[in-house]
Amino acid sequence: MFDSRHVQTFAEVVRTGSYAAAARSRGYTQPAISQQMKALERAVGTPLFVRVGRKLRLTDAGEVLARHASGILGQIEAAHEQMNAITRLKAGRIRVCAFPSANAALLPAAVARITAHHPGIRIELQEQEPPLSLNALGRGDCDITLAFSYGGAAEQQIEQDLIEVPLLDDPLVVLLPAGHPLARRRTVELQQFTHERWIAGCLRCRGHFVAACAEAGFEPDIAYTTDDNLAVQSLVAAGTGIALMPGMVLSFMRHPKVAGRPVVPADHRRVSAYTLAGHQEVPAIRVMLDALRHAAAELRPGCRITHQ
């Protein structure tokens, strides 16, 4: 592979017809031009010029390089301009994979913030629950993943090459039909619902829910299972069961016939953004992480910001 600077000098020698003229044009000494051409000839493995009297003549290899030199330099210049555009955040792409409620509650504000300040950045959104979303990040299928955990080292192992950016603590609430006797209370305890039918969510949420009920001293009667937040609220509103859900869901969707009551003792899930180690320095990824922090700080109701 040859040095692009040497190709630029070669093209100038071809244009001007001599090392001396190219040296004047490029602002170099003639020996410096000569050394660059020798280095280029070593790189390509064959002479590029021969002398005919006091003039330079291109060899066959030199003729080939001369035909391609402008294209090579043009592509390098185009690549340089595109990379500068990305660095200046006038272009680029960010692929974000998030769980459904984060896509609804956090991403819209973050995307709007980036679009307002950096309209050239293209944002692609994907939807996956953890741990599948974290696996997608590890495979390179996305640049940033939003995932949640319920605490405990055994509950979620974070790979060594992933960077975690904590966003917020999302408190859990019990969803009750508006006419439920306990809906009039400001807070509720899980053991107050030992004989209720329950609606469970995704696999990770269901696992935490069952463990929380066991700690409260009972095994829940799970009558329905669905990942659809709207379906959960509709089932609760219809009186078919109750549910333990993250408060984040109520920030963007609240059924008029459903009441959400915080659980005591307080319980929550931790919501974080993840990216591969080192990628947080990529300009577009950095501004997305900043936008997500801002969106998390603005999120209401009841989500507590996590500080490190």
Short mmCIF file of all heavy atoms in Angstrom, two decimals, residues 71-126:
data_model
loop_
_atom_site.label_atom_id
_atom_site.label_comp_id
_atom_site.label_asym_id
_atom_site.label_seq_id
_atom_site.Cartn_x
_atom_site.Cartn_y
_atom_site.Cartn_z
N GLY A 71 -8.38 9.56 -9.54
CA GLY A 71 -9.46 8.82 -8.89
C GLY A 71 -9.13 8.46 -7.46
O GLY A 71 -9.96 8.57 -6.55
N ILE A 72 -7.87 8.00 -7.25
CA ILE A 72 -7.43 7.64 -5.89
C ILE A 72 -7.50 8.86 -4.98
O ILE A 72 -8.04 8.81 -3.88
CB ILE A 72 -5.99 7.08 -5.92
CG1 ILE A 72 -5.96 5.73 -6.64
CG2 ILE A 72 -5.42 6.95 -4.51
CD1 ILE A 72 -4.57 5.21 -6.92
N LEU A 73 -6.96 9.98 -5.45
CA LEU A 73 -6.94 11.19 -4.63
C LEU A 73 -8.35 11.72 -4.41
O LEU A 73 -8.66 12.23 -3.33
CB LEU A 73 -6.06 12.25 -5.30
CG LEU A 73 -4.58 11.88 -5.40
CD1 LEU A 73 -3.82 12.94 -6.20
CD2 LEU A 73 -3.96 11.72 -4.01
N GLY A 74 -9.21 11.58 -5.43
CA GLY A 74 -10.59 12.02 -5.26
C GLY A 74 -11.33 11.21 -4.22
O GLY A 74 -12.10 11.76 -3.41
N GLN A 75 -11.09 9.88 -4.22
CA GLN A 75 -11.75 9.03 -3.23
C GLN A 75 -11.25 9.33 -1.82
O GLN A 75 -12.01 9.33 -0.86
CB GLN A 75 -11.51 7.56 -3.59
CG GLN A 75 -12.27 7.11 -4.83
CD GLN A 75 -11.94 5.68 -5.21
OE1 GLN A 75 -11.14 5.02 -4.54
NE2 GLN A 75 -12.55 5.20 -6.28
N ILE A 76 -9.94 9.58 -1.71
CA ILE A 76 -9.38 9.92 -0.40
C ILE A 76 -9.98 11.23 0.10
O ILE A 76 -10.35 11.36 1.27
CB ILE A 76 -7.84 10.02 -0.47
CG1 ILE A 76 -7.24 8.63 -0.70
CG2 ILE A 76 -7.26 10.64 0.80
CD1 ILE A 76 -5.75 8.64 -0.98
N GLU A 77 -10.10 12.21 -0.78
CA GLU A 77 -10.68 13.50 -0.41
C GLU A 77 -12.15 13.34 0.00
O GLU A 77 -12.61 13.94 0.98
CB GLU A 77 -10.55 14.49 -1.56
CG GLU A 77 -11.13 15.86 -1.27
CD GLU A 77 -10.41 16.60 -0.16
OE1 GLU A 77 -9.24 16.25 0.13
OE2 GLU A 77 -11.03 17.51 0.43
N ALA A 78 -12.88 12.50 -0.76
CA ALA A 78 -14.29 12.26 -0.44
C ALA A 78 -14.42 11.59 0.92
O ALA A 78 -15.29 11.96 1.73
CB ALA A 78 -14.94 11.42 -1.52
N ALA A 79 -13.55 10.60 1.17
CA ALA A 79 -13.58 9.91 2.47
C ALA A 79 -13.25 10.89 3.59
O ALA A 79 -13.88 10.87 4.66
CB ALA A 79 -12.60 8.74 2.47
N HIS A 80 -12.28 11.76 3.34
CA HIS A 80 -11.89 12.75 4.35
C HIS A 80 -13.06 13.69 4.66
O HIS A 80 -13.35 13.98 5.83
CB HIS A 80 -10.69 13.55 3.83
CG HIS A 80 -10.19 14.58 4.80
ND1 HIS A 80 -9.57 14.25 5.98
CD2 HIS A 80 -10.21 15.94 4.75
CE1 HIS A 80 -9.24 15.35 6.63
NE2 HIS A 80 -9.62 16.38 5.90
N GLU A 81 -13.76 14.14 3.63
CA GLU A 81 -14.89 15.03 3.83
C GLU A 81 -16.03 14.34 4.59
O GLU A 81 -16.66 14.94 5.46
CB GLU A 81 -15.41 15.54 2.48
CG GLU A 81 -14.51 16.58 1.82
CD GLU A 81 -14.36 17.83 2.68
OE1 GLU A 81 -15.36 18.26 3.26
OE2 GLU A 81 -13.23 18.34 2.78
N GLN A 82 -16.28 13.08 4.24
CA GLN A 82 -17.35 12.34 4.92
C GLN A 82 -17.01 12.12 6.39
O GLN A 82 -17.87 12.23 7.27
CB GLN A 82 -17.61 11.02 4.21
CG GLN A 82 -18.26 11.18 2.84
CD GLN A 82 -18.40 9.86 2.12
OE1 GLN A 82 -18.40 8.80 2.73
NE2 GLN A 82 -18.51 9.92 0.79
N MET A 83 -15.74 11.78 6.66
CA MET A 83 -15.33 11.58 8.05
C MET A 83 -15.40 12.88 8.83
O MET A 83 -15.79 12.89 10.01
CB MET A 83 -13.92 10.98 8.10
CG MET A 83 -13.88 9.52 7.68
SD MET A 83 -12.27 8.74 7.92
CE MET A 83 -11.29 9.58 6.68
N ASN A 84 -15.04 13.99 8.19
CA ASN A 84 -15.17 15.29 8.85
C ASN A 84 -16.62 15.61 9.17
O ASN A 84 -16.93 16.17 10.22
CB ASN A 84 -14.57 16.39 7.97
CG ASN A 84 -13.06 16.51 8.14
OD1 ASN A 84 -12.50 16.01 9.11
ND2 ASN A 84 -12.42 17.16 7.19
N ALA A 85 -17.51 15.25 8.23
CA ALA A 85 -18.94 15.50 8.46
C ALA A 85 -19.44 14.71 9.66
O ALA A 85 -20.22 15.21 10.48
CB ALA A 85 -19.74 15.13 7.22
N ILE A 86 -18.98 13.46 9.77
CA ILE A 86 -19.39 12.63 10.91
C ILE A 86 -18.83 13.22 12.20
O ILE A 86 -19.52 13.30 13.22
CB ILE A 86 -18.91 11.18 10.70
CG1 ILE A 86 -19.71 10.54 9.57
CG2 ILE A 86 -19.04 10.38 11.99
CD1 ILE A 86 -19.18 9.18 9.14
N THR A 87 -17.56 13.62 12.18
CA THR A 87 -16.93 14.19 13.37
C THR A 87 -17.64 15.47 13.80
O THR A 87 -17.81 15.74 14.99
CB THR A 87 -15.45 14.48 13.10
OG1 THR A 87 -14.81 13.25 12.73
CG2 THR A 87 -14.76 15.04 14.33
N ARG A 88 -18.06 16.28 12.81
CA ARG A 88 -18.76 17.52 13.12
C ARG A 88 -20.26 17.30 13.35
O ARG A 88 -21.02 18.25 13.50
CB ARG A 88 -18.58 18.52 11.97
CG ARG A 88 -17.13 18.96 11.75
CD ARG A 88 -17.06 20.15 10.79
NE ARG A 88 -17.67 19.85 9.51
CZ ARG A 88 -17.01 19.40 8.44
NH1 ARG A 88 -15.70 19.18 8.52
NH2 ARG A 88 -17.64 19.17 7.31
N LEU A 89 -20.69 16.03 13.35
CA LEU A 89 -22.07 15.64 13.61
C LEU A 89 -23.03 16.20 12.56
O LEU A 89 -24.19 16.48 12.84
CB LEU A 89 -22.52 16.08 15.01
CG LEU A 89 -21.78 15.38 16.15
CD1 LEU A 89 -22.15 16.01 17.48
CD2 LEU A 89 -22.06 13.90 16.18
N LYS A 90 -22.53 16.36 11.33
CA LYS A 90 -23.40 16.74 10.22
C LYS A 90 -23.89 15.51 9.46
O LYS A 90 -24.70 15.63 8.54
CB LYS A 90 -22.66 17.69 9.28
CG LYS A 90 -22.34 19.04 9.90
CD LYS A 90 -21.70 19.97 8.91
CE LYS A 90 -21.44 21.35 9.53
NZ LYS A 90 -20.80 22.27 8.56
N ALA A 91 -23.38 14.36 9.83
CA ALA A 91 -23.80 13.10 9.21
C ALA A 91 -23.52 11.98 10.20
O ALA A 91 -22.92 12.19 11.24
CB ALA A 91 -23.04 12.87 7.90
N GLY A 92 -23.98 10.78 9.86
CA GLY A 92 -23.74 9.63 10.72
C GLY A 92 -25.01 8.86 10.97
O GLY A 92 -26.11 9.29 10.61
N ARG A 93 -24.84 7.71 11.62
CA ARG A 93 -25.97 6.84 11.89
C ARG A 93 -25.81 6.26 13.30
O ARG A 93 -24.70 5.92 13.72
CB ARG A 93 -26.02 5.69 10.87
CG ARG A 93 -27.14 4.70 11.11
CD ARG A 93 -27.12 3.59 10.08
NE ARG A 93 -25.96 2.73 10.23
CZ ARG A 93 -25.90 1.46 9.82
NH1 ARG A 93 -26.93 0.92 9.22
NH2 ARG A 93 -24.81 0.76 9.98
N ILE A 94 -26.91 6.20 14.02
CA ILE A 94 -26.93 5.58 15.35
C ILE A 94 -28.02 4.52 15.36
O ILE A 94 -29.16 4.80 15.02
CB ILE A 94 -27.22 6.59 16.47
CG1 ILE A 94 -26.38 7.86 16.31
CG2 ILE A 94 -26.98 5.97 17.84
CD1 ILE A 94 -26.80 8.97 17.23
N ARG A 95 -27.65 3.30 15.74
CA ARG A 95 -28.63 2.21 15.84
C ARG A 95 -28.86 1.94 17.32
O ARG A 95 -27.94 1.59 18.05
CB ARG A 95 -28.10 0.97 15.14
CG ARG A 95 -27.82 1.16 13.64
CD ARG A 95 -27.02 -0.01 13.10
NE ARG A 95 -25.75 -0.11 13.79
CZ ARG A 95 -24.97 -1.21 13.79
NH1 ARG A 95 -25.35 -2.29 13.13
NH2 ARG A 95 -23.82 -1.22 14.44
N VAL A 96 -30.12 2.11 17.75
CA VAL A 96 -30.47 1.95 19.16
C VAL A 96 -31.46 0.80 19.30
O VAL A 96 -32.47 0.76 18.60
CB VAL A 96 -31.09 3.24 19.75
CG1 VAL A 96 -31.39 3.06 21.23
CG2 VAL A 96 -30.15 4.42 19.52
N CYS A 97 -31.17 -0.11 20.22
CA CYS A 97 -32.06 -1.22 20.51
C CYS A 97 -32.56 -1.06 21.95
O CYS A 97 -31.75 -0.94 22.87
CB CYS A 97 -31.32 -2.55 20.35
SG CYS A 97 -32.38 -4.00 20.58
N ALA A 98 -33.87 -1.02 22.13
CA ALA A 98 -34.44 -0.75 23.46
C ALA A 98 -35.64 -1.64 23.71
O ALA A 98 -36.27 -2.16 22.78
CB ALA A 98 -34.82 0.72 23.59
N PHE A 99 -35.98 -1.81 24.99
CA PHE A 99 -37.19 -2.54 25.36
C PHE A 99 -38.40 -1.63 25.12
O PHE A 99 -38.26 -0.40 25.01
CB PHE A 99 -37.11 -3.04 26.80
CG PHE A 99 -36.83 -1.98 27.83
CD1 PHE A 99 -37.85 -1.39 28.55
CD2 PHE A 99 -35.52 -1.57 28.09
CE1 PHE A 99 -37.61 -0.42 29.51
CE2 PHE A 99 -35.25 -0.60 29.04
CZ PHE A 99 -36.29 -0.03 29.75
N PRO A 100 -39.60 -2.19 25.00
CA PRO A 100 -40.75 -1.41 24.52
C PRO A 100 -41.04 -0.13 25.29
O PRO A 100 -41.26 0.93 24.68
CB PRO A 100 -41.91 -2.41 24.63
CG PRO A 100 -41.27 -3.74 24.44
CD PRO A 100 -39.93 -3.63 25.12
N SER A 101 -41.07 -0.17 26.63
CA SER A 101 -41.43 1.04 27.36
C SER A 101 -40.36 2.11 27.25
O SER A 101 -40.67 3.32 27.28
CB SER A 101 -41.74 0.72 28.83
OG SER A 101 -40.69 0.02 29.45
N ALA A 102 -39.10 1.74 27.09
CA ALA A 102 -38.04 2.73 26.87
C ALA A 102 -38.19 3.35 25.49
O ALA A 102 -37.96 4.56 25.30
CB ALA A 102 -36.67 2.10 27.03
N ASN A 103 -38.55 2.53 24.50
CA ASN A 103 -38.79 3.07 23.16
C ASN A 103 -39.91 4.11 23.18
O ASN A 103 -39.90 5.08 22.42
CB ASN A 103 -39.15 1.94 22.19
CG ASN A 103 -37.96 1.49 21.36
OD1 ASN A 103 -37.00 2.24 21.17
ND2 ASN A 103 -38.01 0.27 20.86
N ALA A 104 -40.89 3.90 24.05
CA ALA A 104 -42.03 4.82 24.12
C ALA A 104 -41.77 6.01 25.04
O ALA A 104 -42.23 7.12 24.75
CB ALA A 104 -43.27 4.06 24.58
N ALA A 105 -41.04 5.80 26.14
CA ALA A 105 -40.92 6.84 27.16
C ALA A 105 -39.64 7.66 27.05
O ALA A 105 -39.64 8.85 27.36
CB ALA A 105 -41.00 6.22 28.55
N LEU A 106 -38.53 7.04 26.65
CA LEU A 106 -37.24 7.73 26.63
C LEU A 106 -36.79 8.15 25.23
O LEU A 106 -36.29 9.26 25.03
CB LEU A 106 -36.15 6.85 27.25
CG LEU A 106 -36.20 6.68 28.77
CD1 LEU A 106 -35.16 5.64 29.21
CD2 LEU A 106 -35.94 8.00 29.46
N LEU A 107 -36.94 7.25 24.27
CA LEU A 107 -36.37 7.49 22.94
C LEU A 107 -36.98 8.69 22.22
O LEU A 107 -36.25 9.46 21.57
CB LEU A 107 -36.47 6.24 22.09
CG LEU A 107 -35.21 5.35 22.04
CD1 LEU A 107 -34.01 6.11 21.50
CD2 LEU A 107 -34.89 4.79 23.42
N PRO A 108 -38.31 8.91 22.26
CA PRO A 108 -38.85 10.05 21.51
C PRO A 108 -38.20 11.38 21.90
O PRO A 108 -37.85 12.17 21.03
CB PRO A 108 -40.34 10.01 21.85
CG PRO A 108 -40.61 8.57 22.13
CD PRO A 108 -39.39 8.07 22.84
N ALA A 109 -38.04 11.63 23.20
CA ALA A 109 -37.43 12.89 23.63
C ALA A 109 -35.97 12.96 23.22
O ALA A 109 -35.48 14.02 22.81
CB ALA A 109 -37.57 13.05 25.14
N ALA A 110 -35.26 11.84 23.33
CA ALA A 110 -33.84 11.82 22.95
C ALA A 110 -33.67 12.04 21.45
O ALA A 110 -32.80 12.80 21.02
CB ALA A 110 -33.21 10.50 23.38
N VAL A 111 -34.51 11.37 20.66
CA VAL A 111 -34.43 11.53 19.20
C VAL A 111 -34.77 12.96 18.81
O VAL A 111 -34.10 13.56 17.94
CB VAL A 111 -35.38 10.53 18.51
CG1 VAL A 111 -35.51 10.85 17.02
CG2 VAL A 111 -34.86 9.09 18.69
N ALA A 112 -35.79 13.54 19.42
CA ALA A 112 -36.17 14.92 19.10
C ALA A 112 -35.04 15.89 19.43
O ALA A 112 -34.79 16.84 18.68
CB ALA A 112 -37.43 15.30 19.87
N ARG A 113 -34.35 15.65 20.52
CA ARG A 113 -33.24 16.52 20.92
C ARG A 113 -32.12 16.46 19.90
O ARG A 113 -31.55 17.49 19.50
CB ARG A 113 -32.74 16.10 22.31
CG ARG A 113 -31.67 17.01 22.89
CD ARG A 113 -31.30 16.54 24.29
NE ARG A 113 -30.28 17.38 24.89
CZ ARG A 113 -30.51 18.52 25.52
NH1 ARG A 113 -31.77 18.94 25.66
NH2 ARG A 113 -29.53 19.23 26.04
N ILE A 114 -31.78 15.25 19.45
CA ILE A 114 -30.70 15.11 18.47
C ILE A 114 -31.12 15.69 17.13
O ILE A 114 -30.34 16.39 16.46
CB ILE A 114 -30.31 13.63 18.33
CG1 ILE A 114 -29.58 13.16 19.60
CG2 ILE A 114 -29.43 13.40 17.11
CD1 ILE A 114 -29.15 11.74 19.58
N THR A 115 -32.35 15.43 16.72
CA THR A 115 -32.83 15.94 15.44
C THR A 115 -32.79 17.47 15.41
O THR A 115 -32.47 18.07 14.38
CB THR A 115 -34.25 15.44 15.17
OG1 THR A 115 -34.26 14.00 15.15
CG2 THR A 115 -34.76 15.94 13.83
N ALA A 116 -33.10 18.09 16.54
CA ALA A 116 -33.11 19.55 16.60
C ALA A 116 -31.70 20.13 16.46
O ALA A 116 -31.51 21.18 15.83
CB ALA A 116 -33.74 20.02 17.91
N HIS A 117 -30.72 19.46 17.06
CA HIS A 117 -29.36 19.99 17.07
C HIS A 117 -28.47 19.42 15.96
O HIS A 117 -27.53 20.08 15.52
CB HIS A 117 -28.70 19.72 18.42
CG HIS A 117 -29.33 20.47 19.56
ND1 HIS A 117 -30.37 19.97 20.30
CD2 HIS A 117 -29.06 21.71 20.06
CE1 HIS A 117 -30.72 20.85 21.23
NE2 HIS A 117 -29.93 21.91 21.11
N HIS A 118 -28.76 18.20 15.52
CA HIS A 118 -27.92 17.52 14.53
C HIS A 118 -28.81 16.81 13.50
O HIS A 118 -28.90 15.58 13.48
CB HIS A 118 -26.99 16.52 15.20
CG HIS A 118 -26.21 17.08 16.35
ND1 HIS A 118 -25.19 17.98 16.19
CD2 HIS A 118 -26.33 16.88 17.70
CE1 HIS A 118 -24.69 18.31 17.37
NE2 HIS A 118 -25.37 17.66 18.30
N PRO A 119 -29.49 17.57 12.64
CA PRO A 119 -30.47 16.97 11.72
C PRO A 119 -29.86 16.00 10.72
O PRO A 119 -30.58 15.21 10.12
CB PRO A 119 -31.09 18.19 11.02
CG PRO A 119 -30.08 19.29 11.19
CD PRO A 119 -29.42 19.04 12.51
N GLY A 120 -28.53 16.04 10.53
CA GLY A 120 -27.90 15.13 9.57
C GLY A 120 -27.71 13.73 10.09
O GLY A 120 -27.39 12.81 9.32
N ILE A 121 -27.88 13.51 11.39
CA ILE A 121 -27.69 12.19 11.98
C ILE A 121 -28.95 11.34 11.76
O ILE A 121 -30.05 11.77 12.06
CB ILE A 121 -27.36 12.28 13.48
CG1 ILE A 121 -26.00 12.96 13.67
CG2 ILE A 121 -27.34 10.90 14.11
CD1 ILE A 121 -25.60 13.11 15.12
N ARG A 122 -28.75 10.15 11.26
CA ARG A 122 -29.86 9.21 11.04
C ARG A 122 -29.93 8.26 12.23
O ARG A 122 -28.91 7.71 12.66
CB ARG A 122 -29.63 8.43 9.76
CG ARG A 122 -30.71 7.40 9.47
CD ARG A 122 -30.40 6.65 8.19
NE ARG A 122 -31.39 5.62 7.93
CZ ARG A 122 -31.33 4.77 6.91
NH1 ARG A 122 -30.32 4.83 6.06
NH2 ARG A 122 -32.26 3.86 6.73
N ILE A 123 -31.13 8.07 12.77
CA ILE A 123 -31.32 7.21 13.94
C ILE A 123 -32.21 6.05 13.57
O ILE A 123 -33.32 6.25 13.04
CB ILE A 123 -31.93 8.00 15.12
CG1 ILE A 123 -31.02 9.19 15.48
CG2 ILE A 123 -32.13 7.09 16.33
CD1 ILE A 123 -31.63 10.14 16.47
N GLU A 124 -31.73 4.83 13.83
CA GLU A 124 -32.50 3.62 13.56
C GLU A 124 -32.86 2.97 14.89
O GLU A 124 -31.99 2.73 15.73
CB GLU A 124 -31.69 2.65 12.70
CG GLU A 124 -31.33 3.22 11.33
CD GLU A 124 -30.48 2.26 10.51
OE1 GLU A 124 -30.22 1.14 10.99
OE2 GLU A 124 -30.06 2.65 9.41
N LEU A 125 -34.14 2.71 15.10
CA LEU A 125 -34.62 2.14 16.36
C LEU A 125 -35.02 0.68 16.17
O LEU A 125 -35.67 0.32 15.19
CB LEU A 125 -35.83 2.94 16.87
CG LEU A 125 -35.60 4.43 17.10
CD1 LEU A 125 -36.86 5.08 17.64
CD2 LEU A 125 -34.43 4.66 18.06
N GLN A 126 -34.60 -0.14 17.12
CA GLN A 126 -34.97 -1.55 17.16
C GLN A 126 -35.62 -1.83 18.50
O GLN A 126 -35.48 -1.06 19.45
CB GLN A 126 -33.73 -2.44 16.98
CG GLN A 126 -32.87 -2.12 15.77
CD GLN A 126 -31.54 -2.84 15.82
OE1 GLN A 126 -31.41 -3.90 16.41
NE2 GLN A 126 -30.53 -2.26 15.20
#
